[in-house]
Amino acid sequence: LEFRRVLFRSPLTQIAITRLKAGEAAEEHLHPTMEEFFLFQKGDASMTVGKEQITCSSGDFISIPANTLHSLKATTDIEIITIGCVIK
């Protein structure tokens, strides 16, 4: 998997470019103290956020609250800007 290239990291924020090839996935997980945001740059994917199934494509923005189960599966090759923000 070519997964993530971190562009910026501080104690409170991380910004990265995430790339997955068609069929690759980020398995279900959660971040207890971090909100995560996805800005889809290229391709199509399916996300599960909590119990909601979402179809995503270029230009879509997805917000995931802290402590929320989520997963991602690439339908085509995808590129996403991911932003994680620590909450207190």
Side-chain angles (χ1 to χ4, degrees):
L1 275 188
E2 177 188 349
F3 186 62
R4 184 176 297 214
R5 181 170 59 99
V6 175
L7 302 174
F8 173 81
R9 184 186 320 256
S10 77
L12 297 177
T13 305
Q14 175 179 286
I15 301 171
I17 295 177
T18 300
R19 293 183 182 97
L20 296 174
K21 297 197 179 300
E24 292 181 337
E27 299 301 323
E28 187 174 67
H29 64 285
L30 58 80
H31 309 280
T33 60
M34 184 177 74
E35 295 178 322
E36 195 167 23
F37 306 95
F38 294 81
L39 179 56
F40 284 79
Q41 299 296 295
K42 178 180 110 177
D44 301 306
S46 136
M47 287 194 78
T48 301
V49 179
K51 296 187 184 299
E52 184 179 3
Q53 186 75 25
I54 305 167
T55 301
C56 306
S57 58
S58 181
D60 287 347
F61 180 80
I62 305 296
S63 173
I64 301 176
N67 213 33
T68 301
L69 284 170
H70 58 285
S71 63
L72 167 71
K73 182 166 185 179
T75 307
T76 64
D77 291 358
I78 59 172
E79 182 175 292
I80 309 164
I81 296 173
T82 56
I83 303 167
C85 297
V86 172
I87 60 169
K88 302 229 175 193

